[in-house]
């Protein structure tokens, strides 16, 4: 998602978050692949983006798709939600899979979540597609924060990541359907997160200056059960 954030903590036994890559493994993705490997046919991308949330939400959402210069609105929405498919550069800039062209992470933001995360994601993508390195991208995002150029994160900002078709990384392809709640950087203990028996996981995204709280749910967006492998 940040969106999808890094690094995530191993907080529930055997439930390692998909973007927490093994740092000692040889990096199979040292540089950006040809752009075509990240692109999708627009109709297929729209359909995939909608799988992030139940149809009752995603059917009336705005849908954005990745073009050669960034994300573009493909379908105008009616309910304030925004759905798109995040690519690998939404991972942390130091992660081994930052350039993994296979990553497809459908996510639907509620209105408050979209107002904060969509501008950040659009800028992140524009910088990458303009040829910036992960470090240069991070520097530009940081500078914009320092200049107060980003929208303020609002209370109630959240997103759905419930797509059975998601590919979040080579080590945790599908992980679990889950909801994500965004807060300014804070102590996860205030949510009871990361404690034994707690269903709430957390991660601090220092680049986007948020703490993300994740709550796994029992069903994918199509209503089928998430089968936990032991």
């Amino acid at each position: 998602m940040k969106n999808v954030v890094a690094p995530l903590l191993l907080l529930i036994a055997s439930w390692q978050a998909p973007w927490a890559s093994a740092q000692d493994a040889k990096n199979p993705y040292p540089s950006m692949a040809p752009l075509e490997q990240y692109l999708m046919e627009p109709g297929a991308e729209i359909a995939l983006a909608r799988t992030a949330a139940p149809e009752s939400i995603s059917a009336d959402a705005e849908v954005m798709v990745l073009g050669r210069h960034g994300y573009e609105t493909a379908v105008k929405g009616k309910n304030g939600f925004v759905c798109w498919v995040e690519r690998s550069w939404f991972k942390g800039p130091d992660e081994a899979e930052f350039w993994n062209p296979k990553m497809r992470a459908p996510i639907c933001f509620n209105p408050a979540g979209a107002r904060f995360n969509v501008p950040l994601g659009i800028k992140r993508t524009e910088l990458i597609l303009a040829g910036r390195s992960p470090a240069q991208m991070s520097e530009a995002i940081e500078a914009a924060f320092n200049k107060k150029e980003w929208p303020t994160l609002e209370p109630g900002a959240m997103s759905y990541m419930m797509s059975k078709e998601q590919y979040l990384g080579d080590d945790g392809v599908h992980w679990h359907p889950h909801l994500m709640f965004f807060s300014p950087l804070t102590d996860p203990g205030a949510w009871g997160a990361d404690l034994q028996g707690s269903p709430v996981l957390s991660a601090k995204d220092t680049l986007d200056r948020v703490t993300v709280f994740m709550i796994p749910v029992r069903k994918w967006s199509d209503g089928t059960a998430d089968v936990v492998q032991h």
Side-chain angles (χ1 to χ4, degrees):
M1 13 347 221
K2 22 152 251 6
N3 328 74
V4 193
V5 294
L8 287 178
L9 305 175
L10 179 55
L11 301 170
I12 295 181
S14 78
W15 280 27
Q16 180 165 345
W19 37 75
S21 305
Q23 296 301 311
D24 58 351
K26 183 179 179 181
N27 185 357
Y29 310 105
S31 61
M32 187 174 183
L35 179 58
E36 286 70 21
Q37 295 186 29
Y38 299 95
L39 298 177
M40 294 181 65
E41 189 279 321
E45 184 159 357
I46 291 169
L48 180 58
R50 291 195 190 281
T51 66
E55 184 178 0
S56 59
I57 295 169
S58 63
D60 289 330
E62 176 180 341
V63 181
M64 304 186 75
V65 300
L66 179 65
R68 291 189 169 275
H69 302 288
Y71 280 95
E72 306 163 348
T73 298
V75 180
K76 293 184 178 180
K78 301 176 183 178
N79 60 5
F81 281 73
V82 177
C83 303
W84 65 16
V85 181
E86 293 184 346
R87 303 316 203 267
S88 57
W89 48 81
F90 282 80
K91 290 177 176 283
D94 296 326
E95 289 198 55
E97 293 190 59
F98 185 88
W99 295 119
N100 184 350
K102 297 190 294 292
M103 178 178 159
R104 299 289 187 272
I107 185 168
C108 283
F109 299 101
N110 76 339
R115 285 190 287 269
F116 178 79
N117 287 283
V118 169
L120 275 168
I122 287 175
K123 185 61 175 180
R124 180 189 294 251
T125 300
E126 288 177 348
L127 290 165
I128 288 299
L129 297 187
R132 301 295 192 273
S133 69
Q136 289 171 330
M137 178 205 71
S138 298
E139 290 171 1
I141 297 294
E142 180 73 16
F145 267 113
N146 291 338
K147 294 177 183 178
K148 301 186 184 302
E149 295 177 353
W150 298 124
T152 300
L153 180 63
E154 303 171 32
M158 58 85 65
S159 66
Y160 291 75
M161 292 192 75
M162 298 173 60
S163 176
K164 188 187 290 185
E165 301 175 49
Q166 65 191 5
Y167 191 104
L168 302 184
D170 293 346
D171 294 332
V173 175
H174 300 300
W175 200 51
H176 300 276
H178 58 286
L179 308 180
M180 300 173 68
F181 297 84
F182 305 95
S183 168
L185 288 172
T186 189
D187 176 13
W191 285 56
D194 312 336
L195 301 178
Q196 184 175 0
S198 172
V200 183
L201 296 82
S202 76
K204 289 187 177 181
D205 182 346
T206 54
L207 179 59
D208 290 351
R209 302 187 180 184
V210 297
T211 298
V212 183
F213 295 95
M214 292 151 287
I215 302 177
V217 296
R218 295 181 178 181
K219 294 182 179 181
W220 300 101
S221 63
D222 64 2
T224 57
D226 174 34
V227 179
V228 179
Q229 299 295 328
H230 294 286

